Amino acid sequence: MKTAIAYTRVSTARQGKSGLGLEAQQTALARFAETEGFDLVQTYQEVETGKGADALNRRPQLAAALKAAKKIKSPIIVAKLDRLSRDVHFISGLMAHKTPFIVAELGADADPFMLHLYAALAEKERAMISRRTKDALAAKKAQGVALGGLRAHGAQAREDAIERAEQLRPIFDELAGLSARKIAAVLNERKVTTPAGGDWHAATVIRVQKRLGLT
């Protein structure tokens, strides 16, 4: 059986404490490893954002995973590409380490060129999410919602909430027309966690729909 290193990451401490985001990734990795014949000899878990040029310096577990993978000459497997990063430059930097990366979602045959391509698409998506987030905040301000009086971390929390909601927009567009209760059931069945890393309920669905301007 082929050996491999597993790497999982969530962006917030809240998600890390809940274990839900990490658990979903671990389940996906275990299923992939069983199907493809990999023995996951070590799993490295990280609770850290993937943003920023110094992202690798702030992700000691990823650095440790790279070191371990190089030592046993094995690939690193992640559940989704965005668990590494949505930044093309960052992905290119990882490729320079000469350690193979396998993205379970893309399949074992996805080569470095494909990873770069998907990273470019993810980076574009992130830019679009950022733009929509700024537009949403500007719209709320125009409607008279007091944003300037919020403390800095409160304003950032609001922006983060809208950004997380925007990441879910494609799924909500797909499920448009279903009741909030049904949408919650589908999301839980697909093991898609809420922006906070928990299970979905009708009220949670409605809250995200409002952030996306769908209600």
Side-chain angles (χ1 to χ4, degrees):
M1 183 174 284
K2 301 167 289 187
T3 59
I5 299 294
Y7 176 75
T8 60
R9 180 181 68 85
V10 290
S11 301
T12 67
R14 185 174 181 179
Q15 288 177 317
K17 289 178 181 178
S18 73
L20 293 172
L22 293 172
E23 183 179 337
Q25 292 175 58
Q26 289 166 352
T27 299
L29 289 173
R31 188 183 305 117
F32 177 82
E34 182 178 1
T35 301
E36 298 294 336
F38 282 101
D39 176 20
L40 301 179
V41 296
Q42 181 73 41
T43 298
Y44 292 84
Q45 295 184 354
E46 198 110 64
V47 180
E48 179 59 71
T49 180
K51 297 180 181 179
D54 63 339
L56 185 57
N57 294 333
R58 290 183 284 104
R59 290 162 68 178
Q61 291 302 305
L62 178 55
L66 282 165
K67 184 177 180 180
K70 186 171 293 187
K71 183 177 181 179
I72 64 175
K73 297 180 180 179
S74 296
I76 294 175
I77 304 179
V78 295
K80 296 184 177 183
L81 185 61
D82 64 6
R83 295 307 83 202
L84 290 175
S85 179
R86 290 189 179 93
D87 185 276
V88 175
H89 179 71
F90 185 84
I91 295 296
S92 297
L94 290 179
M95 297 297 113
H97 285 270
K98 305 300 183 183
T99 297
F101 282 89
I102 296 176
V103 180
E105 185 180 51
L106 302 179
D109 296 329
D111 58 24
F113 173 77
M114 288 182 63
L115 294 185
H116 278 89
L117 179 60
Y118 279 105
L121 293 172
E123 186 176 86
K124 177 65 175 178
E125 179 189 28
R126 187 182 68 182
M128 292 172 64
I129 289 173
S130 178
R131 180 69 265 168
R132 287 198 297 262
T133 299
K134 288 181 172 63
D135 289 345
L137 289 172
K140 287 185 178 296
K141 186 175 181 180
Q143 293 168 5
V145 177
L147 301 177
L150 294 172
R151 290 176 295 179
H153 73 274
Q156 184 62 49
R158 181 188 291 271
E159 184 171 342
D160 288 346
I162 294 176
E163 181 173 343
R164 289 194 298 270
E166 284 291 349
Q167 292 172 351
L168 295 165
R169 184 181 289 277
I171 300 177
F172 272 73
D173 287 343
E174 175 193 342
L175 302 177
L178 298 180
S179 68
R181 187 181 299 276
K182 180 61 177 176
I183 291 175
V186 172
L187 292 172
N188 288 330
E189 183 179 339
R190 294 184 184 181
K191 299 189 183 302
V192 176
T193 60
T194 66
D199 291 333
W200 289 91
H201 303 282
T204 323
V205 170
I206 293 171
R207 187 157 56 245
V208 171
Q209 287 176 326
K210 287 181 178 179
R211 285 174 180 157
L212 295 174
L214 301 177
T215 59

